Amino acid sequence: MNIAVVGASGAVGQKILEVLEERQFPVDNLYLLSSPRSAGTTVQFNGQEYTLEVLEPASFDKDIDIAFFAAGGGISKEYVDIARDKGITVIDNSSEFRMVDGVPLVVPEVNPEDVHDETLIANPNCSTIQSIVALKPLQKFGIKHITYTTYQAVSGSGVGGIADLKEGTTTTYPYNIQKSVLPHIDSFLDNGYTKEEMKMIEETKKILNDDTLNVTATTVRVPIENGHGVNIDIEFENDFDLEDIYKALEEAPGVIIRDDVANLVYPLAEEANGTDEVYVGRIRRDLSRKNGLHMFVVADNIRKGAATNSVQIAELLQ
């Protein structure tokens, strides 16, 4: 297949290339598109050297089958329709089209059936992706209410977030991320939630195809470089057996259980980094309410939370 990567110089774009190579995705011609600042630099892919080109409308005049967009909402808003008009299928990592009616929002382990003949498929928010992978196998027990509390690494803010963590600067964050956790990801809305929180709420309902779900979220930035954690509190319609919960998670694609508290085994970002699985642990009943469950979920937010999920979507299109 002929592939283009928009934002090829960024963290997610670079990781998409890495994952395409690892998974031996059948790439014939490869086009790497970037800002003028990065154009002209070279990268290696499958033993060949490729030069980054300036992104412009004419970039999509080439024979391209799939274009991965990993350059932010503004670029997606400007260029996605140009690519689609040329008959190119777009897999978009921004939030620009996620909640648009008719645009599938896809996590391949969860709703691969939503990929048909569309020319635009949206990649969900990073924290939503890992949460949904763990929630989907439990949907059969009748999920009534979900509460998310996230612990999101600075790599979710790109190179600027990583620089703030390493240097103690406040270029990306309003406060020194070396010294605090920040209960603030993306801008605040009139309802008191942040955009990041509303993304998780709305995307969960869309991916699970259940508008009746009650979902709330608090998203927090923490001073680690990579690997998001999410505490998920679930209320089910009816009582459940913990053994059935474990069995459902053990059988779920893309899930690894790390839950042996007697030996201090639970999900860690250090273990998740560099992998494509979702790690689940601290699985226990919620003692404060009937039919409640707690679990803690960790994943590599740049891989499963962005690049790998995008490549998995492309694999569904083969």
Side-chain angles (χ1 to χ4, degrees):
M1 303 184 81
N2 297 330
I3 301 298
V5 179
V6 178
S9 61
V12 174
Q14 288 289 300
K15 193 62 67 174
I16 286 172
L17 292 172
E18 182 180 320
V19 174
L20 285 169
E21 191 169 13
E22 285 178 8
R23 296 174 76 94
Q24 299 181 339
F25 190 88
V27 177
D28 187 6
N29 294 303
L30 178 65
Y31 305 102
L32 305 182
L33 307 173
S34 68
S35 67
R37 182 180 59 186
S38 299
T41 59
T42 59
V43 298
Q44 294 287 325
F45 179 80
N46 279 343
Q48 296 184 45
E49 190 174 86
Y50 291 85
T51 301
L52 274 63
E53 307 171 26
V54 175
L55 172 65
E56 56 187 3
S59 300
F60 303 103
D61 290 340
K62 302 178 178 71
D63 181 16
I64 298 170
D65 298 303
I66 297 174
F68 295 95
F69 273 66
I75 294 296
S76 292
K77 185 176 182 179
E78 183 175 357
Y79 286 97
V80 160
D81 284 343
I82 295 173
R84 295 174 72 194
D85 287 343
K86 299 292 184 178
I88 300 168
T89 298
V90 171
I91 300 171
D92 183 41
N93 271 274
S94 80
S95 61
E96 187 66 28
F97 302 100
R98 289 175 185 161
M99 299 310 299
V100 174
D101 289 341
V103 176
L105 186 64
V106 175
V107 178
E109 295 92 339
V110 175
N111 59 333
E113 67 281 357
D114 288 350
V115 175
H116 301 294
D117 299 320
E118 291 85 356
T119 57
L120 172 59
I121 302 161
N123 204 52
N125 175 274
C126 47
S127 293
T128 304
I129 288 173
Q130 66 187 72
S131 301
I132 290 292
V133 170
L135 283 166
K136 177 61 177 179
L138 306 183
Q139 195 176 16
K140 64 183 179 182
F141 298 104
I143 297 175
K144 181 180 178 181
H145 189 280
I146 299 167
T147 301
Y148 294 125
T149 306
T150 74
Y151 305 82
Q152 294 179 229
V154 298
S155 59
S157 301
V159 294
I162 294 172
D164 272 8
L165 175 65
K166 290 182 175 179
E167 300 167 14
T169 52
T170 54
T171 303
T172 299
Y173 304 122
Y175 301 99
N176 188 345
I177 192 65
Q178 289 182 345
K179 298 181 178 180
S180 293
V181 299
L182 307 179
H184 167 201
I185 298 178
D186 212 325
S187 57
F188 282 100
L189 304 171
D190 291 341
N191 63 4
Y193 285 75
T194 65
K195 283 185 178 180
E196 182 81 359
E197 290 158 355
M198 293 308 300
K199 288 175 192 175
M200 294 194 71
I201 291 168
E202 293 167 354
E203 292 175 22
T204 295
K205 295 179 182 182
K206 182 172 181 176
I207 298 168
L208 293 179
N209 193 28
D210 188 352
D211 289 333
T212 68
L213 272 179
N214 294 300
V215 187
T216 191
T218 300
T219 57
V220 181
R221 189 71 69 191
V222 298
I224 66 170
E225 184 168 336
N226 197 58
H228 287 353
V230 184
N231 183 73
I232 308 177
D233 300 327
I234 310 164
E235 182 182 358
F236 294 100
E237 296 283 356
N238 302 299
D239 195 11
F240 57 88
D241 191 315
L242 265 181
E243 290 185 2
D244 292 334
I245 298 291
Y246 276 99
K247 186 173 186 295
L249 290 168
E250 287 170 353
E251 295 174 350
V255 171
I256 294 177
I257 294 181
R258 288 286 185 264
D259 197 357
D260 180 6
V261 294
N263 293 298
L264 300 183
V265 174
Y266 35 70
L268 293 172
E270 184 177 13
E271 180 180 16
N273 283 341
T275 73
D276 296 322
E277 287 74 33
V278 172
Y279 296 77
V280 184
R282 296 299 318 278
I283 304 164
R284 64 201 189 278
R285 287 185 177 274
D286 181 347
L287 300 180
S288 71
R289 58 181 169 179
K290 188 177 181 181
N291 306 332
L293 181 80
H294 297 297
M295 63 181 182
F296 190 66
V297 177
V298 173
D300 185 323
N301 52 289
I302 300 297
R303 287 187 64 99
K304 182 53 187 168
T308 299
N309 200 77
S310 297
V311 174
Q312 288 176 298
I313 291 171
E315 290 170 345
L316 295 174
L317 299 169
Q318 289 181 248

